[in-house]
């Protein structure tokens, strides 16, 4: 039952979507994809957690079916996500997971833009890449605003400042 007394239904597809989204969060370097998947998994996690905590009939079967689905679809990542251990965590565990991946995503994007900038000849093209990194940084900061763990925000800020130093040296 949900907090308002309604039944929360969780099927294997819901669990599969959650697990698949975790895999995407862990591997994307597109901040917009990352942000949307974080929002999506937050909603799913609440539903799945309620079903798990209430030991609703069908949760175990749905979890097992989702596990076999993810094993077939993503054999490389199968062992990374154990739903039962995830369900025993609180939301700060996932917040930390999200935050680490926001910083990782920014770092990958920043490195990609540095490589592109190094190959560009015109100042406007270089400036556009700089603006893209600034925009990505802003989005990352907004995404991290939910996080209570300031170390991730500090890591992100440090990566951004290093990027700005590299850019200023190249001009």
């Amino acid at each position: 039952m949900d907090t308002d007394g309604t039944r929360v239904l969780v099927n294997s597809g819901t669990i599969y979507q959650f697990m698949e989204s975790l895999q995407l969060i862990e591997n994307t370097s597109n901040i917009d994809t990352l942000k949307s998947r974080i929002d999506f998994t937050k909603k799913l996690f609440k539903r799945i957690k309620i079903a798990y905590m209430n030991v609703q009939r069908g949760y175990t079967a749905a979890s097992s079916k989702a596990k076999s689905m993810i094993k077939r679809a993503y054999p490389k990542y199968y062992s990374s996500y154990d739903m039962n251990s995830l369900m025993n965590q609180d939301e700060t565990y996932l917040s930390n997971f999200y935050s680490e991946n926001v910083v990782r995503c920014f770092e990958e994007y920043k490195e990609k833009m540095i490589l592109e900038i190094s190959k560009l000849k015109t100042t406007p093209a270089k400036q556009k890449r700089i603006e893209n990194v600034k925009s990505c940084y802003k989005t990352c900061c907004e995404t991290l605003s939910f996080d209570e763990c300031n170390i991730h925000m500090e890591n992100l800020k440090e990566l951004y400042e290093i990027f700005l130093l590299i850019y200023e040296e190249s001009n």
Side-chain angles (χ1 to χ4, degrees):
M1 299 280 179
D2 202 345
T3 52
D4 66 356
T6 60
R7 187 173 190 113
V8 176
L9 298 176
V10 173
N11 60 30
S12 59
T14 304
I15 296 170
Y16 177 81
Q17 286 178 321
F18 178 76
M19 294 172 78
E20 181 181 48
S21 292
L22 292 179
Q23 186 270 326
L24 287 168
I25 287 168
E26 201 167 40
N27 293 291
T28 188
S29 58
N30 181 313
I31 189 61
D32 295 324
T33 299
L34 181 73
K35 188 174 181 178
S36 69
R37 288 298 175 145
I38 287 172
D39 292 340
F40 182 65
T41 56
K42 282 181 180 180
K43 292 173 188 168
L44 287 182
F45 182 74
K46 288 177 184 175
R47 288 183 55 213
I48 294 168
K49 181 84 172 189
I50 291 168
Y52 176 80
M53 296 305 286
N54 292 328
V55 193
Q56 288 185 353
R57 200 170 58 114
Y59 171 82
T60 304
S63 180
S64 293
K65 185 174 180 185
K67 202 177 212 182
S68 68
M69 289 166 66
I70 204 81
K71 187 176 184 178
R72 282 192 308 273
Y74 300 101
K76 180 178 176 183
Y77 303 104
Y78 169 70
S79 61
S80 300
Y81 312 112
D82 176 19
M83 283 304 294
N84 288 334
S85 68
L86 270 175
M87 292 300 107
N88 289 318
Q89 302 292 334
D90 61 10
E91 288 187 39
T92 57
Y93 174 82
L94 279 178
S95 290
N96 192 44
F97 173 78
Y98 297 146
S99 298
E100 288 171 359
N101 282 290
V102 168
V103 173
R104 177 205 46 78
C105 183
F106 176 76
E107 186 168 21
E108 288 177 8
Y109 184 76
K110 172 190 67 83
E111 291 301 318
K112 178 182 171 188
M113 290 297 103
I114 287 172
L115 185 63
E116 285 186 23
I117 289 168
S118 71
K119 294 177 182 178
L120 294 171
K121 304 251 187 265
T122 67
T123 302
K126 290 179 181 182
Q127 192 59 39
K128 181 178 180 195
R129 300 314 187 280
I130 300 302
E131 293 305 316
N132 289 347
V133 172
K134 288 179 180 179
S135 175
C136 181
Y137 175 73
K138 182 180 176 187
T139 302
C140 287
C141 287
E142 291 167 0
T143 304
L144 280 178
S145 66
F146 68 84
D147 188 14
E148 296 175 25
C149 192
N150 289 332
I151 191 162
H152 298 292
M153 187 65 89
E154 289 301 316
N155 290 342
L156 182 65
K157 184 177 178 184
E158 184 179 319
L159 290 169
Y160 180 67
E161 289 172 352
I162 290 169
F163 171 78
L164 290 178
L165 284 173
I166 291 170
Y167 171 69
E168 289 171 0
E169 288 178 10
S170 68
N171 282 337

